[in-house]
Amino acid sequence: MDVLNQILNINAGGAYGGGKAGGAFDPVTFAMKPQVVIRALCWLFSVVVFGCISSEGWVEKEGKEMCLYNDDAMACKYGNMVGVFGFLASMGFIGGEFLFERMSSVKSRKRYVMADMGFSAFWTFMYFVAFLYLWSQWSSAPMPPLGIGAGSMKTAIVFCFFSIFSWALCAFMAYKRFLIGAGDEFTSAFETDPANVVHQQAYSYSMDNDNEQYSASPFGQPQQGMEQQSGGMEYQQPTY
């Protein structure tokens, strides 16, 4: 539950939801970051996918290696490709998270966040296609002799399904970071815009003048004049 709350409230005080550049590195804190935890899951799922397909996805028939996914070699190759590149990308993004906290340039953080968001969304789609493709071919494939390899093929399909959600969550976290950074840039640009600075100064000057004008009572001088006139006149009792 704590990890979920951190995912929904990504804001570490620095640009684009990261920490302050140049801070001390804490391995435990880094390992518990939501981005690192989800990337580790993506890495693990990718290992399972390409490991199952590459180890038991091929059988020899009539002197040729055939894929257990309905003898469709492209199914095994596509599953391996998605798993291998997902494995490498997960390791790369974990290293990127380590460097992200040390990026002092806001532009560098922005490029990293946009790359993370774009690739994660794209690889979510790739795993979605892999799940449908492998599941469709396996449902039409005959059972292998003695059922050897059947468990691994099913496991690869299941972890392709899990990978859809893990990569989608990575894309969502990167999107949240992008919104935080875009909001900070808008606020900074508004505050440093010369036109807005002049407008704020003029408005502040106008408010100061208004306060000075209304600080004195508008009826002070007339009341003082009336008191002087009344002081110079004596009351005369009427004669009946």
Side-chain angles (χ1 to χ4, degrees), residues 197-215:
V197 173
V198 172
H199 176 73
Q200 292 176 359
Q201 291 177 350
Y203 180 76
S204 176
Y205 178 76
S206 176
M207 290 296 295
D208 292 340
N209 288 340
D210 292 342
N211 292 333
E212 291 177 359
Q213 291 177 2
Y214 287 102
S215 61

Side-chain angles (χ1 to χ4, degrees), residues 119-197:
F119 186 87
S120 297
F122 177 67
W123 223 246
T124 300
F125 173 76
M126 294 291 284
Y127 264 113
F128 178 72
V129 173
F131 168 73
L132 294 180
Y133 188 15
L134 299 183
W135 176 75
S136 176
Q137 293 300 322
W138 178 251
S139 62
S140 303
M143 182 61 63
L146 303 176
I148 299 175
S152 296
M153 300 301 97
K154 293 177 182 179
T155 301
I157 295 173
V158 170
F159 277 87
C160 281
F161 180 75
F162 292 161
S163 296
I164 296 172
F165 296 98
S166 62
W167 282 95
L169 190 55
C170 289
F172 173 75
M173 290 189 294
Y175 176 69
K176 292 278 289 184
R177 274 181 166 179
F178 180 78
L179 291 182
I180 293 172
D184 292 342
E185 285 186 352
F186 176 80
T187 302
S188 177
F190 181 82
E191 292 176 350
T192 56
D193 189 353
N196 294 325
V197 173

Side-chain angles (χ1 to χ4, degrees), residues 13-208:
Y16 286 91
K20 301 293 184 180
F25 176 71
D26 185 2
V28 178
T29 303
F30 175 77
M32 294 301 294
K33 286 181 60 177
Q35 291 86 354
V36 176
V37 173
I38 301 302
R39 287 296 179 191
L41 289 177
C42 293
W43 176 84
L44 177 62
F45 296 165
S46 298
V47 170
V48 174
V49 170
F50 81 78
C52 290
I53 295 176
S54 60
S55 62
E56 295 188 344
W58 301 88
V59 293
E60 187 173 345
K61 292 181 180 179
E62 299 177 355
K64 296 181 179 180
E65 287 191 345
M66 306 297 293
C67 178
L68 289 181
Y69 289 115
N70 200 24
D71 296 336
D72 185 358
M74 284 301 300
C76 285
K77 291 179 180 179
Y78 182 80
N80 272 330
M81 183 270 296
V82 173
V84 169
F85 279 98
F87 166 80
L88 296 176
S90 298
M91 292 183 62
F93 280 115
I94 290 176
E97 287 296 327
F98 173 78
L99 298 175
F100 185 76
E101 303 292 341
R102 286 153 180 76
M103 295 179 185
S104 58
S105 173
V106 176
K107 292 183 178 180
S108 298
R109 289 193 175 192
K110 181 179 181 179
R111 294 190 189 101
Y112 174 80
V113 170
M114 292 182 66
D116 184 4
M117 180 173 57
F119 186 87
S120 297
F122 177 67
W123 223 246
T124 300
F125 173 76
M126 294 291 284
Y127 264 113
F128 178 72
V129 173
F131 168 73
L132 294 180
Y133 188 15
L134 299 183
W135 176 75
S136 176
Q137 293 300 322
W138 178 251
S139 62
S140 303
M143 182 61 63
L146 303 176
I148 299 175
S152 296
M153 300 301 97
K154 293 177 182 179
T155 301
I157 295 173
V158 170
F159 277 87
C160 281
F161 180 75
F162 292 161
S163 296
I164 296 172
F165 296 98
S166 62
W167 282 95
L169 190 55
C170 289
F172 173 75
M173 290 189 294
Y175 176 69
K176 292 278 289 184
R177 274 181 166 179
F178 180 78
L179 291 182
I180 293 172
D184 292 342
E185 285 186 352
F186 176 80
T187 302
S188 177
F190 181 82
E191 292 176 350
T192 56
D193 189 353
N196 294 325
V197 173
V198 172
H199 176 73
Q200 292 176 359
Q201 291 177 350
Y203 180 76
S204 176
Y205 178 76
S206 176
M207 290 296 295
D208 292 340

